Amino acid sequence: DGQTTSAPPVTSGGSQILTGRDTNPVEVHGLFTALIRLKDAIGRGDNNAIQRGVALLDEAADRLTVARGDVGLRSQAIDVYQVQLSEQKVELEKARSNDLEVDLTEVISQLTARQASFEAALRAAGTISQLTLLNFL
């Protein structure tokens, strides 16, 4: 007590005990602290401390109510996200089945039509590329 620095550590010998004190004591405002304060005040019969304990208990109950509301709000948000996720999963499966499960005869007929169109375009390009000025004279 009263020292600004500690003594140098001793490296030889048995186990060392580190002792100290809380230089910045802070009372935690919570439900259990309020209950402990109220119990101690009732045990001592101190009316002022009982009133303080009841006030602390009321504050803790208010904070508990706010925390429960926040947890409920977050729970509802999670439920909404789960519903959205399941709907998106259904839509994804639907789109996937539409893309992968096709009618084979329809695909073959579309491929044949595209191939005929491509061949016609190639023939037209070939015919146009063979034209010269002499063809028009």
Side-chain angles (χ1 to χ4, degrees):
D1 285 334
Q3 295 181 348
T4 58
T5 59
S6 65
V10 177
T11 56
S12 64
S15 62
Q16 301 293 321
I17 297 175
L18 180 63
T19 58
R21 61 184 170 82
D22 190 0
T23 59
N24 188 18
V26 176
E27 181 180 63
V28 177
H29 298 287
L31 186 62
F32 293 114
T33 302
L35 288 173
I36 290 170
R37 298 280 183 211
L38 188 59
K39 176 186 164 254
D40 292 343
I42 291 173
R44 289 190 316 263
D46 186 359
N47 286 336
N48 290 335
I50 290 173
Q51 289 176 351
R52 181 174 180 256
V54 169
L56 287 173
L57 192 59
D58 288 340
E59 289 175 16
D62 291 342
R63 281 194 301 275
L64 179 64
T65 302
V66 169
R68 289 181 68 194
D70 186 42
V71 168
L73 182 64
R74 291 177 187 214
S75 175
Q76 286 179 347
I78 289 173
D79 291 341
V80 168
Y81 292 143
Q82 285 177 337
V83 168
Q84 289 176 349
L85 182 63
S86 65
E87 289 174 358
Q88 288 176 355
K89 184 177 178 182
V90 168
E91 289 297 321
L92 181 63
E93 288 296 324
K94 181 179 173 184
R96 184 173 152 242
S97 68
N98 287 341
D99 289 343
L100 296 179
E101 297 172 6
V102 295
D103 185 19
L104 190 59
T105 55
E106 182 181 340
V107 170
I108 291 172
S109 65
Q110 287 178 359
L111 179 64
T112 306
R114 288 180 184 170
Q115 184 178 4
S117 172
F118 182 65
E119 287 176 1
L122 286 178
R123 281 192 196 116
T127 305
I128 291 172
S129 67
Q130 292 178 355
L131 290 178
T132 63
L133 189 56
L134 295 176
N135 291 358
F136 293 105
L137 294 176

